[in-house]
Amino acid sequence: MAGPRRDRDHIYVIGDKGVGIFLIKINPIRIVRIPDKEVRRYGKENNCDGYAAVAALCWRVIGDHRAAHGEGAKLEPENISGIASLAQAGVGLSNLEFSFGTSMSTTAIEATRARNRSLKMALCYLTQRTGNNLQDAVLLDDGNADDFAC
């Protein structure tokens, strides 16, 4: 599967059961969260796994967009069911280089900064309580990591 065209805005869909589904658009950045409660309500009303169903709906948006731009066929109903089954099984549906996550408190992230000197700036920005919601960070080397103060 070819990667996304670089001249278009990137859109990411991230589903995390118990948290919700995030739609992230880059340039300008827009983040939308469909809360867990809403996803589960949708699943209950439609007698299905809400996360799988919403994942399939999101994939359909992507598939239909690609088809409209000559980059593939539209998704048929049986394809949508297949996508939902894959999402329900926890299969990664992505053309990202990698995707992973965990639950980690701000305090725990702050405690790891000293052991992760190259990521110190990124970890500082990740845990800051005020300021911009979007920060660009650079990777630090051992020589300049101590110069950056959180």
Side-chain angles (χ1 to χ4, degrees):
M1 174 186 297
R5 286 184 41 181
R6 299 296 179 199
D7 61 342
R8 294 196 183 145
D9 285 340
H10 296 275
I11 296 177
Y12 304 100
V13 180
I14 301 169
D16 189 358
K17 287 189 177 180
V19 178
I21 296 174
F22 296 85
L23 306 167
I24 304 169
K25 179 183 168 289
I26 306 298
N27 194 25
I29 191 162
R30 298 287 185 265
I31 302 172
V32 174
R33 178 175 67 112
I34 304 170
D36 177 73
K37 182 178 178 181
E38 179 63 14
V39 175
R40 292 187 187 280
R41 181 202 59 78
Y42 181 84
K44 186 174 183 179
E45 287 183 4
N46 291 283
N47 197 29
C48 63
D49 178 301
Y51 279 87
V54 176
L57 292 172
C58 292
W59 192 256
R60 181 176 196 156
V61 169
I62 293 168
D64 288 351
H65 172 77
R66 288 178 178 167
H69 288 86
E71 297 173 1
K74 290 184 110 173
L75 295 180
E76 300 300 327
E78 61 272 9
N79 299 121
I80 296 297
S81 296
I83 296 294
S85 295
L86 291 171
Q88 187 171 4
V91 174
L93 301 170
S94 173
N95 55 4
L96 299 174
E97 280 67 36
F98 60 86
S99 174
F100 48 83
T102 189
S103 296
M104 193 171 185
S105 70
T106 298
T107 303
I109 295 169
E110 289 171 342
T112 66
R113 287 196 297 241
R115 295 188 310 272
N116 295 281
R117 296 168 64 88
S118 295
L119 290 175
K120 183 177 179 181
M121 183 184 289
L123 296 174
C124 286
Y125 288 158
L126 190 62
T127 58
Q128 70 185 12
R129 289 167 177 82
T130 60
N132 296 333
N133 289 332
L134 179 63
Q135 298 272 5
D136 287 331
V138 299
L139 295 173
L140 304 170
D141 60 34
D142 284 341
N144 65 8
D146 290 329
D147 294 338
F148 181 78
C150 291

